[in-house]
Amino acid sequence: MEKIKVSKKALKSLLSDSMRTAISHLELPKPTKKVEKLLDKSSKKLASEFVHILKKQDRKTRKSEKDLTYVEDVLKGKKSKKSKALATV
């Protein structure tokens, strides 16, 4: 189980470049400083959200792999089954 390293900076530049090329294909006037600043801010926010989503997916896959290997170990007899004792109130 390898940790997946996600670079927020790389994602930001990828998103920024994609948005700039998409805007350049439209028939719009040349972007001003305000538009450039807005593109940078929005790409930064989008990148942070995508990093969060990717990390969440990675954690889920690692947890499912860990659970699957535990079940396989129990079935093979390498580990004993966890006992879930009911707590009386």
Side-chain angles (χ1 to χ4, degrees):
M1 291 185 287
E2 292 182 14
K3 266 192 165 181
I4 296 174
K5 186 94 171 170
V6 180
S7 173
K8 195 184 297 185
K9 193 173 186 179
L11 273 175
K12 179 187 176 287
S13 65
L14 179 70
L15 288 168
S16 179
D17 291 340
S18 299
M19 285 193 292
R20 288 175 200 277
T21 56
I23 289 174
S24 68
H25 289 296
L26 299 173
E27 294 181 14
L28 294 172
K30 185 179 175 187
T32 61
K33 285 184 183 180
K34 277 189 175 182
V35 173
E36 296 290 332
K37 192 173 183 180
L38 186 63
L39 283 174
D40 288 337
K41 282 185 179 182
S42 60
S43 62
K44 186 176 181 179
K45 287 181 182 180
L46 284 170
S48 66
E49 281 300 316
F50 275 114
V51 166
H52 178 70
I53 291 169
L54 290 171
K55 284 183 180 179
K56 194 173 184 180
Q57 284 178 342
D58 184 44
R59 274 186 258 137
K60 280 184 181 179
T61 56
R62 282 192 286 133
K63 185 181 183 315
S64 65
E65 288 174 1
K66 184 178 175 183
D67 291 344
L68 186 61
T69 55
Y70 172 75
V71 170
E72 288 174 351
D73 288 345
V74 168
L75 292 175
K76 289 179 184 176
K78 291 181 181 178
K79 291 185 179 182
S80 61
K81 185 177 178 182
K82 291 181 184 176
S83 62
K84 293 185 178 181
L86 296 174
T88 57
V89 177

